[in-house]
Amino acid sequence: MKNRVKSVEKEDTEPNVYMRDTVGKIYGLLKYSSWDSAEEELERLCIRWDSYTVNKVLKTHPPMEKAWLFFNWVSSLKGFKHDQFTYTTMLDIFGEAGRISSMKYVFKQMQEKGLKTDAAAYTSLMHWLSSSGDVDEAMKVWEEMKDSGSCPTVVSYTAYMKILFDNGRAKEASDIYKEMLQSGYSPTCHTYTVLMEYLVGSGKYDEALEIFSKMQEAGVQPDKAACNILIEKCSKAGEAKALTAILQYMKESHIVLRYPVFLEALKSLKTAGESIALLKQVNPHFFVDDDSKEEADEFCLMAADFPFRIDRGLLLIFLKKRNLVAIDRLLNGMIDKNIQVDSAIISIIVEANCDCSRRTGALLAFKYSVRMGITMERNAFVSLIGTLIRSNSFSKVVQIFEAMIGAGQSPGTYLSALLIYKLGCARRPGYAANIFDLLPDDHKSTATFTALVGVYFTVGNADRGLEIFKTMLEKGIFPALGTYNVLLAGLENSGRISEAEIYRKEKKRLQLNRHTRASLPLEEKICDLLFAVDVVT
């Protein structure tokens, strides 16, 4: 009993620590477990589910599909209601993932439920619409926000200015900036960054440096993001004077560059024949690679007589230093010397490379695991597949997926369906079909069949899409509401309205029949969540 009282008192006196641990645990479940496992663990958690906690979890940005499943799962809990904050965060997650139709769906739900659609929600909607290329729609959202009575914030003004600047509407952007000042808002670091980014992009380097100086006089210090943006712009423009001035500020403020930006700056300075001494002073950690290469070569040579010297600990040292180039050198040497390490460390190396978008390094670690007969962990496979999808390396996606299945690592129904859907969006029906064919029979479910149906509708092959649907029925796999959403969208986009009406009636019958069913199979839940809206374009 005493221990129990002490535990409660600790939670009362350290609420931030308790909340951080709770949110971290939930994030870990969503990121590293299948949804089936995560759901079981979530149900066992003895916590009070409120919108604050849920929003904290969503703010950690777990994988999009798990975030949506979690969002819907928690809404079914007794006594819980989503508010404007949880909806806005979910909207932002969909927008960041490029799922614009799903983002609009969430925003529409907010309005239908009577939740407050404040400046934050409108700003997020406006930003992601613009990022997707729909600038006119983003501008309409700005007007809608003002008409609705939601007062723009400095964040809203800054976001809208950037949209206008990025789309050649400098005069309108300047007017918005003046309106912001007249409304009593002071520019933030991000506001200044947007202005300077436009000026550098327009070749007005002196004006950009003037703002860089004046913002400091106003008490606003350029942050790491601002410096990286400006250095990248100046490097690509070959503007050494402005680049040097910003590097000098970074040196004095102990700010470093992101590695891709560092490479741009290095290339620019060398091309212009300028000294790289200041760049090296700002980013000394990027200049250890040559020494580390030699160090790695030395260890590889030692491995002939002392193979145990190249082990898990050494690789972890380089991982801690984030010296992935040295790890590449080590792995090449270890392959030649047939030196083996455990699955966990190789999986960490793959994920570290993927985090830095180093496709080559991640594939090298994968090659090492195959050569040595090491089974990578599921998260490493998933990270590598994600990196390859983002770099449009679709043939290698199929290769990695095949290796994942062969290693006995289950991709899960949701990931499989989402991967097929992504390949369809990339208009790669052949690769999508390969992924489907590689799936074990128990993964060929409502969700994965529906994803494959959607692939063929996306590429304009409605007949093949209907064939897949009929095959699904012949195998005794029942369609879900999400399946009918895909069929209706695909047929209507193909101009086959009469056929669409047939399936519309079937969808209505399914909706009526659901009221008589005690529970919904997980496969159908996943399908409905994946294809809750029109996903065929």
Side-chain angles (χ1 to χ4, degrees):
M1 178 65 72
K2 289 182 180 179
N3 290 337
R4 184 177 178 183
V5 172
K6 185 178 180 180
S7 176
V8 172
E9 287 174 352
K10 185 175 181 180
E11 290 177 12
D12 290 340
T13 56
E14 298 180 298
N16 291 333
V17 174
Y18 174 71
M19 174 57 70
R20 184 174 65 247
D21 291 345
T22 301
V23 170
K25 182 176 182 179
I26 298 169
Y27 170 76
L29 287 173
L30 295 177
K31 182 172 182 180
Y32 298 113
S33 303
S34 67
W35 172 248
D36 297 0
S37 300
E39 185 177 19
E40 291 177 5
E41 291 296 325
L42 288 170
E43 289 173 350
R44 294 194 189 102
L45 291 178
C46 297
I47 64 174
R48 179 174 175 268
W49 291 102
D50 54 26
S51 61
Y52 177 78
T53 303
V54 171
N55 199 42
K56 281 281 188 183
V57 172
L58 292 174
K59 285 284 188 182
T60 65
H61 271 57
M64 182 203 69
E65 63 274 12
K66 302 278 187 62
W68 182 230
L69 286 163
F70 172 70
F71 185 89
N72 284 275
W73 173 80
V74 77
S75 67
S76 66
L77 297 179
K78 185 178 179 181
F80 178 83
K81 284 187 178 180
H82 284 295
D83 58 18
Q84 69 189 78
F85 304 107
T86 55
Y87 263 99
T88 299
T89 304
M90 191 67 239
L91 179 153
D92 197 53
I93 291 172
F94 275 136
E96 186 176 8
R99 294 285 294 271
I100 302 303
S101 57
S102 299
M103 178 185 72
K104 290 180 178 179
Y105 173 77
V106 171
F107 187 72
K108 185 179 179 183
Q109 275 198 336
M110 285 183 73
Q111 294 175 315
E112 290 175 349
K113 292 179 182 293
L115 296 174
K116 182 181 179 182
T117 49
D118 58 8
Y122 278 112
T123 302
S124 183
L125 190 69
M126 180 175 65
H127 169 73
W128 295 119
L129 283 168
S130 172
S131 295
S132 72
D134 198 344
V135 180
D136 291 337
E137 189 69 22
M139 295 177 72
K140 288 179 183 177
V141 170
W142 172 262
E143 296 301 330
E144 182 183 334
M145 174 175 64
K146 299 182 78 174
D147 291 343
S148 70
S150 296
C151 296
T153 62
V154 65
V155 175
S156 308
Y157 277 114
T158 302
Y160 193 47
M161 282 167 53
K162 181 165 176 57
I163 290 170
L164 294 171
F165 275 133
D166 288 349
N167 290 278
R169 299 170 181 262
K171 175 64 170 61
E172 294 169 73
S174 299
D175 291 342
I176 291 296
Y177 180 63
K178 293 173 184 175
E179 181 183 320
M180 183 190 80
L181 297 177
Q182 290 169 357
S183 299
Y185 291 111
S186 298
T188 64
C189 179
H190 185 46
T191 311
Y192 283 119
T193 303
V194 169
L195 290 170
M196 291 185 291
E197 186 179 10
Y198 164 73
L199 291 170
V200 171
S202 302
K204 300 177 181 179
Y205 307 113
D206 290 339
E207 289 90 332
L209 287 177
E210 186 178 351
I211 290 180
F212 193 77
S213 176
K214 286 186 174 179
M215 67 184 286
Q216 295 173 63
E217 293 173 5
V220 181
Q221 298 300 317
D223 59 12
K224 181 177 179 179
C227 292
N228 272 269
I229 289 170
L230 294 175
I231 289 291
E232 185 173 22
K233 282 278 186 181
C234 290
S235 298
K236 289 181 177 179
E239 172 52 33
K241 177 185 173 183
L243 191 153
T244 301
I246 298 165
L247 282 176
Q248 185 61 43
Y249 167 82
M250 294 179 72
K251 176 187 172 183
E252 295 167 358
S253 303
H254 307 290
I255 297 174
V256 298
L257 290 171
R258 292 186 296 106
Y259 189 63
V261 179
F262 161 77
L263 292 178
E264 285 284 351
L266 183 62
K267 178 182 175 183
S268 178
L269 290 171
K270 285 185 174 180
T271 301
E274 299 286 340
S275 170
I276 63 169
L278 182 56
L279 181 66
K280 189 170 184 177
Q281 291 169 13
V282 173
N283 307 278
H285 56 299
F286 289 144
F287 287 86
V288 300
D289 283 351
D290 290 337
D291 293 337
S292 296
K293 287 176 185 177
E294 293 177 6
E295 186 180 357
D297 286 337
E298 182 182 344
F299 275 111
C300 288
L301 289 170
M302 292 168 60
D305 297 320
F306 304 100
F308 60 87
R309 289 181 181 270
I310 299 182
D311 59 4
R312 189 175 189 273
L314 179 59
L315 287 169
L316 284 174
I317 289 171
F318 284 121
L319 276 171
K320 186 177 180 180
K321 292 181 179 180
R322 305 299 289 178
N323 198 328
L324 300 178
V325 173
I327 290 175
D328 290 350
R329 306 272 296 181
L330 276 172
L331 286 180
N332 277 316
M334 291 166 70
I335 290 175
D336 294 339
K337 303 298 181 183
N338 200 31
I339 299 169
Q340 189 166 1
V341 294
D342 58 87
S343 170
I345 188 64
I346 290 301
S347 299
I348 292 171
I349 290 171
V350 169
E351 291 188 67
N353 277 285
C354 291
D355 288 344
C356 298
S357 299
R358 292 186 78 247
R359 183 173 65 93
T360 304
L363 286 172
L364 172 63
F366 169 72
K367 174 187 171 184
Y368 170 85
S369 72
V370 173
R371 182 78 65 86
M372 298 298 159
I374 299 168
T375 300
M376 292 197 314
E377 295 175 356
R378 181 180 184 276
N379 293 333
F381 279 111
V382 173
S383 296
L384 185 51
I385 288 172
T387 297
L388 294 172
I389 282 284
R390 288 189 290 275
S391 62
N392 298 325
S393 303
F394 302 115
S395 62
K396 290 201 175 292
V397 168
V398 177
Q399 178 187 346
I400 302 302
F401 190 84
E402 184 175 7
M404 183 179 185
I405 296 293
Q409 298 284 17
S410 172
T413 301
Y414 196 93
L415 176 62
S416 302
L418 186 64
L419 184 55
I420 293 168
Y421 165 73
K422 288 286 188 183
L423 289 168
C425 291
R427 300 190 176 276
R428 295 294 191 277
Y431 291 137
N434 288 341
I435 294 294
F436 183 85
D437 292 338
L438 286 168
L439 290 172
D441 289 340
D442 59 348
H443 280 57
K444 292 177 179 176
S445 59
T446 302
T448 49
F449 262 106
T450 299
L452 191 59
V453 170
V455 167
Y456 287 104
F457 277 123
T458 298
V459 298
N461 193 344
D463 290 334
R464 182 59 178 152
L466 290 174
E467 285 178 19
I468 298 296
F469 176 68
K470 289 174 183 176
T471 301
M472 170 181 165
L473 297 179
E474 289 168 2
K475 289 184 175 292
I477 298 173
F478 296 103
L481 291 177
T483 311
Y484 286 114
N485 288 339
V486 170
L487 286 169
L488 291 173
L491 290 169
E492 287 172 356
N493 289 342
S494 302
R496 298 166 73 156
I497 307 302
S498 59
E499 290 175 82
E501 286 304 314
I502 296 173
Y503 291 110
R504 195 181 307 280
K505 291 176 182 178
E506 290 187 13
K507 179 182 177 181
K508 289 180 179 178
R509 281 197 293 271
L510 177 61
Q511 288 173 317
L512 291 172
N513 290 337
R514 277 196 171 182
H515 295 297
T516 63
R517 298 166 67 179
S519 62
L520 198 63
L522 178 63
E523 301 293 339
E524 291 189 35
K525 288 181 182 179
I526 291 174
C527 185
D528 289 349
L529 291 172
L530 256 177
F531 306 105
V533 292
D534 178 352
V535 294
V536 180
T537 57

